[in-house]
Amino acid sequence: DTLWDLAIAEVEKRENPDDDDVKPGEVWGKSVLFMGNKNGGKTTIILRCLEREESPKPTLALEYTFGRRARRHNAPKDVAHFWELGGGTSLVELIRVPITSHNIRSFAVVLVLDLSKPDELWTTMESLLQVTRNHVNKILTKLEKTNPEVAAEIKQRMWNDLQRDHPDYALVDPFPIPLVIIGSKYDIFHEFDSEMRKIISKTLRFVSHYYGASLVFTSKSEALLLKARALINHLAFGYDKSKSVSVDPSKPLFIPAGLDSMSQIGPPPASDSDLGKMRANTPLELWKKVFEKTFPPKSFCALQDTKDPAQDIQYAEYEVDVMRAQKNQELEQYKRNASKSWKEMDFDSD
């Protein structure tokens, strides 16, 4: 365990000494990692879930906050740990920091996709989910050797939202930990051509169902934010999950995990002749090809954030910045002197 994990465990033990569900030394509470498009609205969603009246600031790397809620009157308050990955896909390796073998049983992921940027949608989604899944699978592989009961519990929980008698039971590949996909900026998306909206909506429905995830479209609208908040509160605080469903492509989608089906979603939005020409090894790959034919993706490199976090004004520190500027000047002078001395050196040519 890291010092951070031990500190959290100690605080929870002191604040909730009478909670029967907490085992000695175990962190009590849920953890949720928010990731997705840069400037996609992750911070705004977190602040709304925590009912904080703050102006969102850009997230540069990995930020942490927490929320506390009591599920009933006079009950100890549950604690939810909120992590936010900034920089879109450029800092995806940082997911190793919050997701550990210590908290994997109580961890969930919220993927926020900017609906107003369909050319970034699939690349962002694929990159973030792939790295996260690989990391979680490595943790599960280690747990199978050190704590097989916990590993088996997590793997079984993957299928909780999809009953064995569901017609798609053999066609999906659930994400190893709970996942919610949020389509943000619905207000801009709603102005798109109806055919474009249909393709994006059907694709996200398929991806969410394939991964056993919940799907919700949201914007700055209070009513839509409340729907997203309901799904997140289920992950973070164990609130009852909503059973309402909205699959009308002309309206914001709201589909809790396990309440959709391949038959309702339908085939990929392409003609039979186009589908026949596409070679794909999995249904997910086929949907990717269809989606990217309509919305050619930006290259992965184009999605990388090249901005230097040290130059961001929100972290300005006058004395530190002055000293850094001085050291940068000294470094440049050293480079010039070193270059000059190398040029002046006389090498023997044998």
Side-chain angles (χ1 to χ4, degrees), residues 169-207:
Y169 192 83
L171 303 175
V172 299
D173 186 16
F175 206 69
I177 53 179
L179 172 66
V180 168
I181 296 178
I182 296 179
S184 66
K185 301 187 181 179
Y186 177 79
D187 50 336
I188 300 175
F189 170 78
H190 187 61
E191 301 300 320
F192 285 7
D193 173 78
S194 61
E195 193 59 31
M196 292 174 61
R197 295 202 310 269
K198 181 180 178 181
I199 294 172
I200 296 171
S201 296
K202 285 191 69 171
T203 301
L204 288 180
R205 281 183 65 185
F206 169 79
V207 170

Side-chain angles (χ1 to χ4, degrees), residues 63-89:
E63 294 194 2
Y64 168 82
T65 188
F66 69 92
R68 305 179 69 205
R69 297 269 170 80
R71 276 183 268 181
R72 56 187 182 278
H73 186 61
N74 290 331
K77 288 187 176 181
D78 292 343
V79 176
H81 309 283
F82 288 80
W83 297 86
E84 182 185 355
L85 179 69
T89 60

Side-chain angles (χ1 to χ4, degrees), residues 14-76:
R14 292 180 182 179
E15 290 186 348
N16 308 286
D18 300 323
D19 192 85
D20 296 331
D21 296 330
V22 183
K23 298 176 182 178
E26 183 177 54
V27 175
W28 181 64
K30 303 287 186 179
S31 298
V32 183
L33 171 64
F34 288 76
M35 56 187 184
N37 291 91
K38 184 182 178 182
N39 299 321
K42 299 182 293 296
T43 305
T44 299
I45 293 170
I46 292 173
L47 291 175
R48 186 62 190 87
C49 286
L50 297 178
E51 299 180 346
R52 294 181 184 171
E53 299 296 331
E54 302 174 21
S55 298
K57 297 179 180 179
T59 303
L60 294 180
L62 185 67
E63 294 194 2
Y64 168 82
T65 188
F66 69 92
R68 305 179 69 205
R69 297 269 170 80
R71 276 183 268 181
R72 56 187 182 278
H73 186 61
N74 290 331

